[in-house]
Amino acid sequence: MQKFQAVFGASKPVIAMVHLGAMPGTPLHDAEAGLEGLVAGAAADLSALQAAGVDAVMFGNENDRPYEFAVDTASTATMAYVIGRLRGQISMPFGVNVLWDPDSTIALAAATGAQFCREIFTGTYASDMGVWAPDAGRALRYRKRLGCDDLAMLYNVSAEFADSLDKRSLPDRARSAVFSSVPDAVLVSGQITGEAARMEDLEAVKSVLPDTPVLANTGVKHDTVAEVLRIADGCIVGSSLKVDGHTWNAVDPDRAQDFMDRARAAR
């Protein structure tokens, strides 16, 4: 809890996504727009989110579909380049997430000075990408070797695009992850990007983790943010802040401002 509060400060923070365009070498990469297109798109989204008063931003490679467990070095390097270009414009805590590669996520955090990161660090899943079995022990040892002891670790314990092969309930898996890995926050997700986590899942996980921050990771909407923040210790939001609420569109400044007005009123 101390590291979480040190990073975010705000009560029940809203962490907003900066979805970078597809990286070089990935199927959806726009070679004509190139690196400058990636920087320009991220800069516009960052500016709109900061103007709306979100509490933190997180840079992710959601456009690198289909996703990989071992991300190409070019993707991580390009993300570091884009964030480096924007570093002087970032006026709040920021985090990173390289889908779905814990080591690359930690390496990117080390390279950019990110204060937090998000990933699937624990569990075993059947997923769209195949059998998913991350190694939290290796990831945390890698963080130690890179000298990133202050990097806050946000553990997503209900993987998107996947179903757990673990027979234990979600609250039991979350409780076990906290005991074995001591994450700085636990995240509860819906089935896919932009789809809401079930309120009963949020409530069940929070009830067994009263001393660990529990955040809604996906699908928080304008009309649900008050209820989400009643239960959770914060949320991560992307799609709801985009033009027409569509994940792959640019951030809509008006939608972002409206969302934050509602979040501030709720908390």
Side-chain angles (χ1 to χ4, degrees):
M1 182 70 79
Q2 289 182 342
K3 189 182 293 185
F4 183 85
Q5 291 175 340
V7 171
F8 298 107
S11 173
K12 302 203 172 193
V14 172
I15 303 168
M17 293 302 306
V18 177
H19 291 149
L20 303 179
M23 298 294 112
T26 63
L28 299 178
H29 176 63
D30 185 348
E32 184 175 349
L35 293 180
E36 291 305 312
L38 291 173
V39 173
D45 283 357
L46 173 66
S47 177
L49 293 171
Q50 291 190 149
V54 302
D55 301 299
V57 293
M58 179 158 55
F59 296 91
N61 62 329
E62 267 81 2
N63 280 285
D64 282 0
R65 297 165 284 155
Y67 302 120
E68 300 178 294
F69 296 138
V71 172
D72 190 287
T73 304
S75 292
T76 311
T78 303
M79 292 179 74
Y81 171 79
V82 173
I83 296 169
R85 286 279 300 273
L86 300 178
R87 191 68 177 86
Q89 302 173 37
I90 303 173
S91 60
M92 57 183 54
F94 76 93
V96 295
N97 184 196
V98 185
L99 302 169
W100 293 97
D101 186 336
D103 287 358
S104 291
T105 295
I106 292 170
L108 180 60
T112 60
Q115 293 101 320
F116 64 97
C117 69
R118 173 186 70 178
E119 247 306 331
I120 301 290
F121 291 105
T122 58
T124 306
Y125 304 87
S127 80
D128 293 346
M129 295 79 70
V131 177
W132 193 347
D135 186 340
R138 185 179 70 183
L140 289 176
R141 284 165 175 78
Y142 189 43
R143 181 183 70 163
K144 185 71 173 180
R145 291 202 303 274
L146 294 182
C148 297
D149 290 351
D150 291 337
L151 178 66
M153 308 288 281
L154 279 53
Y155 278 42
N156 185 357
V157 296
S158 50
E160 299 136 80
F161 317 105
D163 190 42
S164 176
L165 296 175
D166 192 329
K167 295 179 180 179
R168 295 175 297 172
S169 68
L170 176 59
D172 280 347
R173 288 189 280 116
R175 188 163 55 95
S176 184
V178 169
F179 181 90
S180 63
S181 295
V182 197
D184 299 295
V186 165
L187 311 179
V188 180
S189 307
Q191 279 295 303
I192 61 174
T193 298
E195 185 172 301
R198 299 191 309 165
M199 293 295 186
E200 52 265 41
D201 286 342
L202 276 173
E203 289 179 322
V205 171
K206 187 58 193 174
S207 70
V208 300
L209 298 176
D211 299 322
T212 299
V214 175
L215 281 69
N217 188 49
T218 60
V220 183
K221 305 289 195 290
H222 290 68
D223 59 357
T224 63
V225 62
E227 178 66 7
V228 167
L229 294 181
R230 181 185 67 80
I231 301 166
D233 299 299
C235 66
I236 298 173
V237 59
S239 302
S240 291
L241 310 186
K242 303 297 189 71
V243 173
D244 298 326
H246 192 278
T247 303
W248 312 119
N249 288 340
V251 170
D252 181 333
D254 292 334
R255 288 181 67 94
Q257 185 65 65
D258 183 24
F259 186 95
M260 286 308 301
D261 288 345
R262 296 178 187 226
R264 281 189 285 267
R267 60 189 189 189

